Amino acid sequence: MVFIPFFYFLLLFFYIMRQNGWDVCAYVAFLYVLTSLFSVLIHILDYQIVVMYEESLIPTIIYCTLLTVAILPLYFFKSNRIEKVTCRSSLFIDCLVYFYFISFLVMLLAYKNDIIFRFTYGNLRELRALTYQGEGLGFTSYPKYIELFLIPMRTFANMSYVMIFIFFFSITYLQKSRYYNLMAIIGSLPCILIGIIGIDRSRTFYWILFFGLAGSLFWKNMSKKTKKIAVSMTAVFFLLIVSYMAIVTISRFGDTGLGGASSIIEYAGQAYIHFCYFWNRYDSPEGFTTKYLFPAIHHFIIGDYDGGTAYQQEMTSKSHMECGVFYTYLGNFIISSGKIGPFMITFVYLFLCSLVMRRRSSVVSFETLLKCFFVMFIPVAGCISYIYTSYNATMCAILLIVGMNVLRSRKRVYIKNQ
């Protein structure tokens, strides 16, 4: 049964490549080919570090069908046919670049001791366990007047991934200096700092996924010279980020199976296996809820939601099943909404796609592209989990879109670089 998703998504990937070439649709399909391949490897190598092997036909069909439905809007969007981009928010772009660049520098200075402590402690697995137990391993506390500046930076750091989009948009369409572009890509790193302090690989993995998404979105319209600049400017960042993931992985899971190699395979391949297991075995203790769909509302207004990790721990306690694993974004909604959950998020996702991915010509606006980027987060990060379980991430995405509409300048058209 485990071979079905791999061969299915492999055939789907080849079909998309034949029809559209390499674009965001092919990229997303390729991600699910990779995760399905790692699921196969988990079975072949008989790793016992997932919850349980319980694949069956019905959840496999639902898994493949709903993910295909999620890929369809990207197929019809045909991102590699975009030739021109209109922009009404050049001030918004500048504000983002400077805000996130300054945020990275300030956070690096403010929390350097926290970061050094994580890397020098010697046992990241133990530190991670203490963090889950709430033993006070968080950010260094500062006086209130300093925290007034740091809290917004920490909050918006949850969505610093947007700067990857800004970086690629800038080098593709804007005539900006290398220093400006360097500030843009550095501005994408606050989320990595948050992940380091939380000893969390997922934020780093998301950075890599979104880097690939943005690169796929803009690659066709980059000139050869721009592509070389993009590769040279990001190679160092990419190497450092991958190195950090390897360090955390080996430190936290080096005593299992083949050490770091086994945990990397388990990390990337557990989603399909766990989706089937939870579809077959999990009975939502709260029945149907919208906590994952509207996390900010449930946290700030209703007051019954404290974040994805806390909610998983609560459901683990109530269901007596380990919920702190990966099961794609579809599986996340099994946890919060039962078996109707995967269908609900698919419907909501398609509705959002219908709002932002309408394009009838080769010209598209910057505002539309950015909204598409936020919506594409769902299937891209969704190969592991659902990124918007964080009420901070959800709130930041909404505020960024509002800010983009407020800081409008006169309309301009940027033609691809020559």
Side-chain angles (χ1 to χ4, degrees):
M1 196 66 64
V2 73
F3 288 92
I4 292 177
F6 170 67
F7 287 114
Y8 173 77
F9 286 112
L10 185 63
L11 291 173
L12 181 63
F13 170 72
F14 284 134
Y15 175 80
I16 293 170
M17 285 292 293
R18 183 176 179 180
Q19 297 296 318
N20 286 3
W22 181 263
D23 63 354
V24 293
C25 181
Y27 174 71
V28 173
F30 183 68
L31 290 179
Y32 286 98
V33 172
L34 288 180
T35 60
S36 300
L37 174 61
F38 284 118
S39 295
V40 171
L41 291 177
I42 288 175
H43 267 264
I44 292 176
L45 298 174
D46 195 27
Y47 287 162
Q48 301 298 322
I49 48 181
V50 294
V51 170
M52 185 178 290
Y53 302 118
E54 196 172 295
E55 299 85 359
S56 56
L57 183 60
I58 291 179
T60 298
I61 292 174
I62 293 172
Y63 179 87
C64 293
T65 301
L66 293 184
L67 290 178
T68 303
V69 171
I71 291 172
L72 280 176
L74 308 180
Y75 176 81
F76 292 112
F77 185 65
K78 300 186 184 301
S79 62
N80 58 5
R81 296 188 183 181
I82 297 173
E83 296 180 1
K84 296 181 180 180
V85 177
T86 62
C87 183
R88 300 172 60 189
S89 300
S90 58
L91 177 60
F92 171 74
I93 296 172
D94 292 339
C95 288
L96 276 187
V97 170
Y98 294 121
F99 172 77
Y100 274 112
F101 177 70
I102 293 172
S103 293
F104 173 78
L105 296 181
V106 171
M107 290 178 65
L108 186 63
L109 179 63
Y111 304 119
K112 66 180 186 302
N113 291 333
D114 296 326
I115 296 170
I116 293 172
F117 175 74
R118 266 59 171 181
F119 281 113
T120 57
Y121 185 79
N123 191 332
L124 292 180
R125 188 176 189 178
E126 179 181 328
L127 279 183
R128 180 67 171 175
L130 290 174
T131 300
Y132 272 122
Q133 295 168 11
E135 296 295 330
L137 291 177
F139 299 92
T140 297
S141 297
Y142 287 93
K144 289 184 179 179
Y145 67 90
I146 297 179
E147 286 290 337
L148 289 175
F149 292 96
L150 291 176
I151 289 175
M153 292 181 180
R154 291 202 304 264
T155 301
F156 278 92
N158 289 278
M159 200 46 65
S160 67
Y161 307 109
V162 70
M163 294 309 301
I164 302 173
F165 174 90
I166 298 298
F167 168 73
F168 276 102
F169 179 77
S170 178
I171 63 175
T172 305
Y173 294 104
L174 305 180
Q175 301 298 327
K176 296 290 187 178
S177 69
R178 291 189 180 185
Y179 295 107
Y180 184 93
N181 296 329
L182 183 61
M183 285 193 296
I185 195 62
I186 290 176
S188 69
L189 300 179
C191 59
I192 304 297
L193 296 182
I194 298 292
I196 291 174
I197 295 173
I199 318 170
D200 179 20
R201 296 173 296 170
S202 297
R203 294 176 188 270
T204 305
F205 192 66
Y206 289 157
W207 191 98
I208 296 172
L209 291 176
F210 298 147
F211 185 88
L213 173 62
S216 300
L217 184 60
F218 292 106
W219 192 257
K220 182 178 181 293
N221 287 332
M222 292 183 196
S223 65
K224 291 183 179 180
K225 180 180 179 181
T226 302
K227 289 178 181 178
K228 291 180 180 178
I229 295 173
V231 171
S232 63
M233 290 183 66
T234 55
V236 175
F237 294 101
F238 196 81
L239 178 62
L240 291 174
I241 287 171
V242 171
S243 298
Y244 164 71
M245 277 201 69
I247 291 171
V248 174
T249 295
I250 294 172
S251 178
R252 284 176 56 187
F253 303 98
D255 59 344
T256 59
L258 297 176
S262 67
S263 61
I264 290 173
I265 293 173
E266 180 265 346
Y267 185 94
Q270 63 178 275
Y272 161 70
I273 296 171
H274 285 156
F275 176 84
C276 291
Y277 175 72
F278 278 85
W279 178 271
N280 289 329
R281 293 293 189 94
Y282 183 81
D283 185 16
S284 179
E286 295 186 334
F288 176 84
T289 76
T290 57
K291 291 182 179 180
Y292 276 170
L293 191 61
F294 304 113
I297 292 176
H298 278 275
H299 178 75
F300 294 108
I301 299 177
I302 301 177
D304 60 351
Y305 181 78
D306 290 324
T309 300
Y311 186 69
Q312 285 179 349
Q313 292 174 339
E314 180 184 353
M315 293 302 100
T316 296
S317 176
K318 290 181 177 180
S319 67
H320 305 291
M321 294 175 62
E322 176 53 59
C323 297
V325 294
F326 300 131
Y327 18 50
T328 75
Y329 72 99
L330 299 174
N332 272 105
F333 280 86
I334 294 177
I335 300 301
S336 67
S337 309
K339 290 185 178 180
I340 195 174
F343 298 94
M344 176 183 68
I345 185 56
T346 300
F347 175 80
V348 172
Y349 166 77
L350 291 177
F351 174 72
L352 293 174
C353 288
S354 69
L355 294 179
V356 302
M357 292 187 185
R358 292 177 293 183
R359 182 174 62 83
R360 298 181 179 179
S361 69
S362 61
V363 180
V364 67
S365 69
F366 163 83
E367 292 80 7
T368 294
L369 276 182
L370 181 59
K371 293 174 185 177
C372 288
F373 192 66
F374 283 140
V375 173
M376 291 173 187
F377 278 8
I378 296 175
V380 172
C383 67
I384 295 296
S385 189
Y386 182 62
I387 190 172
Y388 291 118
T389 57
S390 166
Y391 52 83
N392 281 331
T394 305
M395 179 182 66
C396 289
I398 294 173
L399 291 177
L400 288 173
I401 292 174
V402 171
M404 176 180 63
N405 291 327
V406 171
L407 299 177
R408 287 181 175 179
S409 57
R410 60 177 183 160
K411 192 173 184 179
R412 296 178 62 189
V413 177
Y414 299 97
I415 303 175
K416 68 176 183 177
N417 294 339
Q418 300 297 324

